[in-house]
Coordinates of all heavy atoms in Angstrom, one line a residue:
M1 N -14.7 9.3 -18.3 CA -14.5 8.8 -17.0 C -13.8 9.8 -16.2 O -12.7 10.3 -16.6 CB -13.8 7.4 -17.1 CG -13.5 6.8 -15.8 SD -12.6 5.3 -16.0 CE -13.8 4.2 -15.2
S2 N -14.3 10.1 -15.0 CA -13.6 11.1 -14.1 C -12.8 10.3 -13.0 O -13.1 9.2 -12.7 CB -14.7 12.0 -13.5 OG -15.5 11.2 -12.7
G3 N -11.8 11.0 -12.6 CA -11.0 10.5 -11.6 C -11.6 10.5 -10.2 O -12.6 11.2 -10.0
S4 N -11.1 9.7 -9.3 CA -11.6 9.7 -8.0 C -11.2 11.0 -7.2 O -10.1 11.5 -7.4 CB -11.1 8.5 -7.1 OG -11.5 7.3 -7.8
K5 N -12.1 11.4 -6.4 CA -11.9 12.6 -5.5 C -11.0 12.2 -4.3 O -11.2 11.1 -3.8 CB -13.1 13.2 -5.0 CG -13.9 14.0 -6.1 CD -15.1 14.6 -5.4 CE -15.9 15.3 -6.5 NZ -17.1 16.0 -5.9
R6 N -10.1 13.0 -3.9 CA -9.3 12.8 -2.7 C -10.2 12.8 -1.5 O -11.1 13.7 -1.4 CB -8.2 13.8 -2.6 CG -7.3 13.6 -1.5 CD -6.2 14.5 -1.4 NE -5.4 14.3 -0.3 CZ -4.2 14.6 -0.1 NH1 -3.5 15.3 -1.1 NH2 -3.5 14.3 1.0
P7 N -10.1 11.9 -0.6 CA -11.0 11.8 0.5 C -10.7 13.0 1.5 O -9.6 13.5 1.6 CB -10.7 10.5 1.2 CG -9.4 10.1 0.8 CD -9.2 10.7 -0.6
H8 N -11.8 13.5 2.1 CA -11.7 14.6 3.1 C -11.0 14.0 4.4 O -11.4 13.0 4.9 CB -13.0 15.2 3.4 CG -12.9 16.2 4.5 ND1 -12.4 17.4 4.3 CD2 -13.3 16.1 5.8 CE1 -12.5 18.1 5.4 NE2 -13.0 17.3 6.4
V9 N -10.0 14.7 4.9 CA -9.3 14.3 6.1 C -9.4 15.4 7.1 O -9.1 16.5 6.8 CB -7.9 13.9 5.8 CG1 -7.2 13.5 7.2 CG2 -7.7 12.8 4.8
D10 N -9.9 15.1 8.3 CA -9.9 16.1 9.4 C -8.6 16.0 10.2 O -8.2 14.9 10.5 CB -11.1 15.8 10.3 CG -12.4 16.1 9.7 OD1 -12.5 17.1 8.9 OD2 -13.4 15.4 9.9
Y11 N -8.0 17.1 10.5 CA -6.8 17.2 11.2 C -7.1 17.8 12.6 O -8.0 18.7 12.7 CB -5.7 18.0 10.5 CG -5.2 17.3 9.3 CD1 -5.8 17.5 8.0 CD2 -4.2 16.4 9.4 CE1 -5.4 16.8 6.9 CE2 -3.7 15.7 8.2 CZ -4.3 16.0 7.0 OH -3.8 15.3 5.9
P12 N -6.4 17.4 13.6 CA -5.3 16.4 13.6 C -5.8 15.0 13.3 O -6.9 14.7 13.6 CB -4.7 16.5 15.0 CG -5.8 17.1 15.9 CD -6.6 17.9 15.0
C13 N -4.9 14.2 12.7 CA -5.3 12.9 12.2 C -4.2 11.9 12.7 O -3.0 12.1 12.5 CB -5.3 12.9 10.7 SG -5.7 11.4 9.9
R14 N -4.7 10.8 13.3 CA -3.8 9.8 13.8 C -3.6 8.7 12.8 O -4.6 8.1 12.3 CB -4.3 9.2 15.1 CG -3.4 8.2 15.8 CD -3.9 7.9 17.2 NE -3.1 7.0 17.9 CZ -3.2 5.7 17.9 NH1 -4.2 5.1 17.3 NH2 -2.3 5.0 18.5
V15 N -2.4 8.4 12.3 CA -2.1 7.4 11.2 C -0.9 6.6 11.6 O 0.0 7.0 12.3 CB -1.9 8.1 9.9 CG1 -3.1 9.0 9.5 CG2 -0.7 9.1 10.0
P16 N -0.9 5.4 11.0 CA 0.3 4.5 11.2 C 1.3 4.8 10.1 O 1.0 5.1 9.0 CB -0.2 3.1 11.0 CG -1.4 3.3 10.1 CD -2.0 4.7 10.4
I17 N 2.6 4.8 10.5 CA 3.7 4.9 9.5 C 4.5 3.6 9.7 O 5.0 3.4 10.8 CB 4.5 6.2 9.7 CG1 3.7 7.4 9.4 CG2 5.8 6.1 8.8 CD1 4.4 8.7 9.5
K18 N 4.6 2.8 8.7 CA 5.4 1.6 8.8 C 6.7 1.8 8.0 O 6.7 2.1 6.8 CB 4.6 0.4 8.2 CG 5.3 -0.9 8.4 CD 4.3 -2.1 8.1 CE 4.9 -3.4 8.6 NZ 3.9 -4.4 8.6
I19 N 7.9 1.6 8.7 CA 9.2 1.8 8.2 C 9.9 0.5 8.1 O 10.0 -0.2 9.1 CB 10.0 2.8 9.0 CG1 9.2 4.1 9.1 CG2 11.4 3.0 8.5 CD1 8.5 4.3 10.4
F20 N 10.4 0.1 6.9 CA 11.2 -1.1 6.7 C 12.6 -0.8 6.6 O 13.0 0.2 5.9 CB 10.7 -1.8 5.4 CG 9.3 -2.2 5.4 CD1 8.3 -1.3 5.0 CD2 8.9 -3.5 5.7 CE1 7.0 -1.7 5.0 CE2 7.6 -3.9 5.7 CZ 6.6 -3.0 5.3
G21 N 13.4 -1.6 7.1 CA 14.9 -1.4 7.0 C 15.7 -2.7 7.2 O 15.1 -3.8 7.4
H22 N 17.0 -2.5 7.2 CA 17.9 -3.6 7.4 C 18.1 -3.9 8.9 O 18.4 -3.0 9.7 CB 19.3 -3.4 6.8 CG 19.2 -3.3 5.3 ND1 19.1 -4.4 4.5 CD2 19.2 -2.2 4.5 CE1 19.0 -3.9 3.2 NE2 19.1 -2.6 3.2
E23 N 17.8 -5.1 9.3 CA 18.0 -5.5 10.7 C 19.4 -5.2 11.2 O 20.4 -5.4 10.5 CB 17.7 -7.0 10.9 CG 18.0 -7.5 12.3 CD 16.7 -7.8 13.1 OE1 15.8 -8.4 12.6 OE2 16.7 -7.4 14.3
G24 N 19.5 -4.5 12.4 CA 20.8 -4.2 12.9 C 21.3 -2.8 12.5 O 22.2 -2.2 13.1
H25 N 20.6 -2.2 11.5 CA 21.1 -0.9 11.0 C 20.0 0.2 11.3 O 20.3 1.3 11.8 CB 21.4 -0.9 9.5 CG 22.5 -1.8 9.2 ND1 23.8 -1.4 9.4 CD2 22.6 -3.0 8.7 CE1 24.6 -2.4 9.0 NE2 23.9 -3.4 8.6
L26 N 18.7 -0.2 11.0 CA 17.6 0.8 11.2 C 17.2 0.6 12.7 O 16.9 -0.5 13.2 CB 16.4 0.4 10.4 CG 15.2 1.4 10.5 CD1 15.6 2.8 10.0 CD2 14.1 0.8 9.7
Q27 N 17.3 1.7 13.5 CA 17.1 1.7 14.9 C 15.8 2.4 15.2 O 15.6 3.6 14.8 CB 18.2 2.4 15.6 CG 19.6 1.7 15.4 CD 19.6 0.3 15.9 OE1 19.0 0.0 17.0 NE2 20.1 -0.6 15.1
P28 N 14.9 1.8 16.1 CA 13.7 2.5 16.4 C 13.9 3.8 17.2 O 13.1 4.7 17.0 CB 13.0 1.5 17.4 CG 14.1 0.6 17.8 CD 15.1 0.6 16.7
G29 N 15.0 3.9 17.9 CA 15.2 5.2 18.6 C 15.5 6.3 17.7 O 15.1 7.5 17.9
S30 N 16.2 6.0 16.5 CA 16.4 7.1 15.6 C 15.1 7.5 14.9 O 14.9 8.7 14.6 CB 17.3 6.5 14.4 OG 18.6 6.2 15.0
I31 N 14.2 6.5 14.6 CA 12.9 6.9 14.0 C 12.1 7.7 15.0 O 11.5 8.7 14.6 CB 12.2 5.6 13.6 CG1 12.9 4.8 12.6 CG2 10.7 5.9 13.1 CD1 12.4 3.4 12.4
A32 N 12.0 7.3 16.3 CA 11.3 8.1 17.3 C 11.8 9.4 17.4 O 11.1 10.4 17.6 CB 11.3 7.3 18.6
A33 N 13.2 9.6 17.3 CA 13.8 11.0 17.4 C 13.3 11.9 16.3 O 13.1 13.0 16.5 CB 15.3 10.9 17.5
V34 N 13.3 11.3 15.1 CA 12.8 12.1 13.9 C 11.4 12.5 14.1 O 11.0 13.6 13.8 CB 13.0 11.3 12.6 CG1 12.4 11.9 11.4 CG2 14.6 11.2 12.3
I35 N 10.6 11.5 14.6 CA 9.2 11.8 14.8 C 9.0 12.9 15.8 O 8.2 13.9 15.6 CB 8.4 10.5 15.1 CG1 8.3 9.6 14.0 CG2 7.0 10.9 15.6 CD1 7.8 8.2 14.4
Q36 N 9.7 12.8 16.8 CA 9.6 13.8 17.9 C 10.1 15.2 17.4 O 9.5 16.2 17.7 CB 10.5 13.4 19.1 CG 10.3 14.4 20.3 CD 11.0 13.9 21.5 OE1 11.5 12.8 21.6 NE2 10.9 14.7 22.6
E37 N 11.2 15.2 16.6 CA 11.6 16.5 16.1 C 10.6 17.2 15.2 O 10.5 18.4 15.2 CB 12.9 16.2 15.2 CG 13.5 17.4 14.6 CD 14.7 17.0 13.7 OE1 15.5 16.1 14.1 OE2 14.9 17.6 12.6
H38 N 9.9 16.4 14.4 CA 8.9 16.9 13.5 C 7.5 17.2 14.1 O 6.8 18.1 13.7 CB 8.8 16.0 12.2 CG 9.9 16.1 11.3 ND1 9.9 17.0 10.2 CD2 11.1 15.5 11.3 CE1 11.1 16.9 9.6 NE2 11.9 16.0 10.3
L39 N 7.1 16.3 15.0 CA 5.7 16.4 15.5 C 5.6 16.6 17.0 O 4.5 16.8 17.5 CB 5.0 15.1 15.2 CG 4.9 14.7 13.7 CD1 4.2 13.3 13.6 CD2 4.2 15.7 12.9
G40 N 6.8 16.7 17.7 CA 6.7 16.8 19.2 C 6.6 15.5 19.9 O 6.6 14.4 19.2
S41 N 6.5 15.5 21.2 CA 6.5 14.3 21.9 C 5.2 13.5 21.7 O 4.1 14.0 21.7 CB 6.5 14.6 23.4 OG 7.8 15.2 23.7
P42 N 5.3 12.2 21.4 CA 4.1 11.4 21.2 C 3.4 11.0 22.5 O 4.0 11.1 23.6 CB 4.7 10.1 20.6 CG 6.1 10.0 21.1 CD 6.6 11.4 21.3
S43 N 2.1 10.7 22.4 CA 1.5 10.3 23.6 C 2.0 8.9 24.0 O 2.5 8.2 23.1 CB 0.0 10.2 23.4 OG -0.3 9.3 22.3
Q44 N 1.9 8.5 25.2 CA 2.6 7.3 25.7 C 2.3 6.0 24.9 O 3.3 5.3 24.5 CB 2.2 7.0 27.2 CG 3.1 6.0 27.8 CD 4.6 6.3 27.8 OE1 5.0 7.5 27.8 NE2 5.4 5.3 27.6
P45 N 1.1 5.7 24.5 CA 0.8 4.5 23.7 C 1.5 4.5 22.3 O 1.8 3.5 21.8 CB -0.7 4.4 23.6 CG -1.2 5.3 24.6 CD -0.2 6.3 24.9
D46 N 1.7 5.8 21.8 CA 2.3 5.9 20.5 C 3.8 5.9 20.5 O 4.5 5.8 19.5 CB 1.9 7.2 19.9 CG 0.4 7.3 19.6 OD1 -0.3 6.2 19.6 OD2 -0.1 8.4 19.4
A47 N 4.4 5.9 21.7 CA 5.9 5.9 21.8 C 6.5 4.6 21.5 O 7.7 4.6 21.0 CB 6.3 6.3 23.2
E48 N 5.8 3.5 21.6 CA 6.4 2.2 21.4 C 5.9 1.6 20.1 O 4.7 1.5 19.9 CB 6.1 1.2 22.5 CG 6.7 1.5 23.8 CD 8.3 1.5 23.8 OE1 8.8 0.6 23.1 OE2 8.9 2.4 24.4
P49 N 6.8 1.3 19.1 CA 6.4 0.8 17.8 C 6.1 -0.7 17.9 O 6.5 -1.4 18.8 CB 7.6 1.0 16.9 CG 8.7 0.8 17.9 CD 8.3 1.5 19.2
Q50 N 5.3 -1.1 16.9 CA 5.1 -2.6 16.7 C 6.3 -3.0 15.9 O 6.7 -2.3 15.0 CB 3.8 -2.9 15.9 CG 2.6 -2.6 16.7 CD 1.3 -2.8 15.9 OE1 1.1 -2.1 14.9 NE2 0.5 -3.7 16.2
V51 N 6.8 -4.2 16.1 CA 8.0 -4.7 15.4 C 7.8 -6.0 14.8 O 7.1 -6.9 15.3 CB 9.2 -4.9 16.5 CG1 10.4 -5.3 15.8 CG2 9.4 -3.6 17.2
N52 N 8.2 -6.1 13.5 CA 8.1 -7.4 12.8 C 9.4 -7.7 12.1 O 10.1 -6.7 11.6 CB 7.0 -7.3 11.7 CG 5.6 -7.3 12.3 OD1 5.2 -8.3 13.0 ND2 4.9 -6.3 12.1
R53 N 9.9 -8.9 12.1 CA 11.1 -9.3 11.5 C 10.9 -10.4 10.4 O 10.0 -11.3 10.6 CB 12.1 -9.9 12.5 CG 12.6 -8.9 13.5 CD 13.5 -9.5 14.5 NE 14.1 -8.5 15.4 CZ 13.5 -8.0 16.5 NH1 12.3 -8.4 16.8 NH2 14.1 -7.1 17.1
K54 N 11.6 -10.3 9.4 CA 11.6 -11.3 8.3 C 12.9 -11.3 7.6 O 13.3 -10.4 6.9 CB 10.5 -11.0 7.3 CG 10.4 -12.1 6.2 CD 9.0 -12.4 5.8 CE 9.0 -13.5 4.8 NZ 7.9 -14.4 4.9
G55 N 13.7 -12.4 7.8 CA 15.0 -12.5 7.2 C 15.9 -11.4 7.7 O 16.1 -11.1 8.9
R56 N 16.5 -10.7 6.7 CA 17.5 -9.6 7.0 C 16.8 -8.3 7.3 O 17.4 -7.3 7.6 CB 18.4 -9.4 5.9 CG 19.2 -10.6 5.5 CD 20.0 -10.3 4.3 NE 19.4 -9.4 3.3 CZ 19.9 -9.0 2.2 NH1 21.2 -9.3 1.9 NH2 19.2 -8.2 1.4
Y57 N 15.4 -8.2 7.2 CA 14.7 -7.0 7.3 C 13.9 -7.0 8.6 O 13.5 -8.0 9.2 CB 13.8 -6.8 6.1 CG 14.5 -6.8 4.8 CD1 14.7 -7.9 4.1 CD2 15.2 -5.6 4.5 CE1 15.5 -7.8 2.9 CE2 15.9 -5.5 3.3 CZ 16.1 -6.6 2.5 OH 16.8 -6.6 1.4
I58 N 13.6 -5.7 9.0 CA 12.8 -5.4 10.2 C 11.8 -4.3 9.8 O 12.2 -3.5 9.0 CB 13.7 -5.1 11.4 CG1 12.8 -5.1 12.7 CG2 14.4 -3.8 11.2 CD1 13.7 -5.1 14.0
S59 N 10.7 -4.3 10.4 CA 9.8 -3.2 10.2 C 9.2 -2.7 11.6 O 9.0 -3.5 12.5 CB 8.6 -3.5 9.3 OG 7.7 -4.4 10.0
Y60 N 9.1 -1.4 11.6 CA 8.6 -0.7 12.8 C 7.3 0.1 12.4 O 7.4 0.8 11.4 CB 9.6 0.3 13.4 CG 10.9 -0.4 13.8 CD1 12.0 -0.3 13.0 CD2 11.0 -1.0 15.0 CE1 13.2 -0.9 13.4 CE2 12.2 -1.6 15.4 CZ 13.3 -1.6 14.6 OH 14.5 -2.2 15.0
T61 N 6.3 -0.1 13.1 CA 5.0 0.6 12.9 C 4.8 1.6 14.0 O 4.6 1.2 15.2 CB 3.8 -0.2 12.7 OG1 4.1 -1.2 11.6 CG2 2.6 0.5 12.4
F62 N 4.9 2.9 13.7 CA 4.6 3.9 14.7 C 3.3 4.6 14.4 O 3.0 4.8 13.2 CB 5.7 5.0 14.6 CG 7.0 4.7 15.2 CD1 8.0 4.0 14.4 CD2 7.4 5.1 16.5 CE1 9.2 3.6 15.0 CE2 8.6 4.7 17.0 CZ 9.5 4.0 16.3
W63 N 2.5 4.9 15.4 CA 1.3 5.6 15.2 C 1.6 7.1 15.5 O 2.2 7.3 16.6 CB 0.2 5.1 16.1 CG -0.4 3.9 15.5 CD1 0.0 2.6 15.7 CD2 -1.6 3.8 14.7 NE1 -0.9 1.7 15.0 CE2 -1.8 2.5 14.4 CE3 -2.4 4.8 14.2 CZ2 -2.9 2.1 13.6 CZ3 -3.5 4.4 13.4 CH2 -3.7 3.0 13.1
V64 N 1.4 8.0 14.6 CA 1.7 9.4 14.8 C 0.4 10.2 14.6 O -0.5 9.8 13.9 CB 2.8 9.9 13.8 CG1 4.1 9.1 14.0 CG2 2.3 9.8 12.4
T65 N 0.4 11.4 15.2 CA -0.7 12.3 15.0 C -0.2 13.5 14.2 O 0.7 14.3 14.6 CB -1.3 12.8 16.4 OG1 -1.7 11.6 17.1 CG2 -2.4 13.7 16.2
L66 N -0.7 13.6 13.0 CA -0.3 14.7 12.1 C -1.2 15.9 12.4 O -2.4 15.8 12.4 CB -0.6 14.2 10.7 CG 0.2 13.0 10.2 CD1 -0.2 12.6 8.8 CD2 1.7 13.3 10.2
P67 N -0.6 17.0 12.7 CA -1.4 18.2 13.1 C -2.0 18.9 11.9 O -3.1 19.5 12.1 CB -0.3 19.2 13.7 CG 1.0 18.7 13.1 CD 0.9 17.3 12.8
D68 N -1.5 18.7 10.7 CA -2.1 19.4 9.5 C -1.6 18.6 8.3 O -0.7 17.8 8.3 CB -1.7 20.8 9.5 CG -0.2 21.1 9.5 OD1 0.6 20.4 8.8 OD2 0.2 21.9 10.3
E69 N -2.1 19.0 7.1 CA -1.8 18.4 5.8 C -0.4 18.5 5.5 O 0.1 17.6 4.8 CB -2.7 19.1 4.8 CG -2.6 18.5 3.4 CD -3.6 19.1 2.5 OE1 -4.6 19.7 2.9 OE2 -3.3 19.1 1.3
A70 N 0.3 19.6 5.8 CA 1.7 19.8 5.4 C 2.7 19.1 6.3 O 3.9 19.2 5.9 CB 1.9 21.3 5.5
S71 N 2.3 18.4 7.3 CA 3.3 17.8 8.2 C 3.8 16.4 7.8 O 4.9 16.0 8.2 CB 2.7 17.7 9.6 OG 1.6 17.0 9.7
E72 N 3.1 15.7 7.0 CA 3.5 14.3 6.7 C 4.7 14.2 5.7 O 5.6 13.4 6.0 CB 2.3 13.6 6.0 CG 2.6 12.1 5.8 CD 1.4 11.3 5.3 OE1 0.3 11.9 5.0 OE2 1.5 10.1 5.2
R73 N 4.7 15.0 4.7 CA 5.8 14.9 3.7 C 7.2 15.1 4.3 O 8.1 14.3 4.1 CB 5.5 15.8 2.5 CG 6.6 15.7 1.5 CD 6.3 16.6 0.3 NE 7.0 16.0 -0.9 CZ 6.7 16.1 -2.1 NH1 5.6 16.8 -2.4 NH2 7.5 15.6 -3.0
P74 N 7.4 16.3 5.1 CA 8.7 16.4 5.6 C 9.1 15.4 6.6 O 10.3 14.9 6.7 CB 8.6 17.8 6.4 CG 7.4 18.4 5.9 CD 6.5 17.4 5.3
L75 N 8.2 14.8 7.4 CA 8.4 13.7 8.2 C 8.9 12.5 7.5 O 9.9 11.9 7.8 CB 7.2 13.4 9.1 CG 7.3 12.1 10.0 CD1 8.4 12.3 11.0 CD2 6.0 11.8 10.6
R76 N 8.2 12.1 6.5 CA 8.6 10.9 5.7 C 9.9 11.1 5.0 O 10.7 10.2 4.9 CB 7.5 10.6 4.7 CG 6.2 10.0 5.3 CD 5.2 9.5 4.3 NE 4.0 8.9 4.9 CZ 3.9 7.7 5.3 NH1 5.0 6.8 5.2 NH2 2.8 7.2 5.8
E77 N 10.2 12.3 4.5 CA 11.5 12.6 3.9 C 12.6 12.5 4.8 O 13.7 11.9 4.5 CB 11.5 14.0 3.2 CG 10.6 14.0 2.0 CD 10.4 15.4 1.4 OE1 10.8 16.4 2.1 OE2 9.9 15.5 0.3
A78 N 12.4 12.9 6.1 CA 13.5 12.8 7.1 C 13.7 11.3 7.5 O 14.8 10.9 7.7 CB 13.1 13.6 8.3
I79 N 12.6 10.5 7.6 CA 12.7 9.1 7.9 C 13.5 8.4 6.8 O 14.3 7.5 7.1 CB 11.4 8.5 8.1 CG1 10.7 9.0 9.4 CG2 11.4 7.0 8.1 CD1 9.3 8.6 9.6
A80 N 13.3 8.8 5.6 CA 13.9 8.1 4.4 C 15.4 8.3 4.4 O 16.2 7.6 3.8 CB 13.4 8.6 3.1
G81 N 16.0 9.3 5.2 CA 17.4 9.6 5.3 C 18.1 8.8 6.4 O 19.3 8.9 6.5
L82 N 17.4 8.0 7.1 CA 18.0 7.2 8.2 C 18.8 6.1 7.8 O 18.5 5.5 6.8 CB 16.9 6.8 9.2 CG 16.1 7.8 10.0 CD1 15.0 7.2 10.7 CD2 17.1 8.5 10.9
P83 N 19.9 5.8 8.5 CA 20.8 4.6 8.1 C 19.9 3.3 8.2 O 19.1 3.1 9.1 CB 21.8 4.6 9.2 CG 21.8 5.9 9.8 CD 20.4 6.5 9.7
G84 N 20.1 2.5 7.2 CA 19.4 1.2 7.2 C 18.0 1.2 6.6 O 17.3 0.2 6.4
Y85 N 17.5 2.4 6.2 CA 16.2 2.6 5.7 C 16.1 1.9 4.3 O 16.9 2.0 3.5 CB 15.9 4.1 5.5 CG 14.7 4.4 4.7 CD1 13.4 4.5 5.3 CD2 14.7 4.6 3.4 CE1 12.3 4.7 4.6 CE2 13.6 4.9 2.7 CZ 12.4 5.0 3.2 OH 11.2 5.2 2.6
V86 N 14.9 1.3 4.1 CA 14.6 0.6 2.8 C 13.4 1.2 2.2 O 13.4 1.7 1.1 CB 14.4 -0.9 2.9 CG1 13.9 -1.5 1.6 CG2 15.7 -1.6 3.4
M87 N 12.2 1.3 2.9 CA 11.0 1.9 2.4 C 10.0 2.1 3.5 O 10.3 1.7 4.7 CB 10.4 1.0 1.3 CG 9.9 -0.3 1.9 SD 9.0 -1.4 0.7 CE 7.4 -0.6 0.6
Q88 N 8.9 2.8 3.2 CA 7.9 3.0 4.2 C 6.5 3.0 3.6 O 6.4 3.3 2.4 CB 8.1 4.3 5.0 CG 8.2 5.6 4.1 CD 8.6 6.7 5.0 OE1 8.0 7.1 6.0 NE2 9.7 7.4 4.5
L89 N 5.5 2.7 4.4 CA 4.2 2.8 3.9 C 3.4 3.7 4.8 O 3.7 4.0 5.9 CB 3.5 1.3 4.1 CG 4.2 0.2 3.3 CD1 3.5 -1.1 3.6 CD2 4.1 0.5 1.8

């Protein structure tokens, strides 16, 4: 049995990044600043995240445009270092 092939992705590629954290600690402005630092200024519709709350947790979904294959990992690692961060998809 052979493994599945990784799908071909054309860059730049627009993808959602969903970040979960503790309500009151994880701030959307901090996430947006990390995204801007790594990828530059987002287009206007991408600047505002979708927000969901459940109990003590909040999630923010940002749509980002990855310029190349190597840009996602450093971005996600930087987001993981934010105060209140729990996980991301």
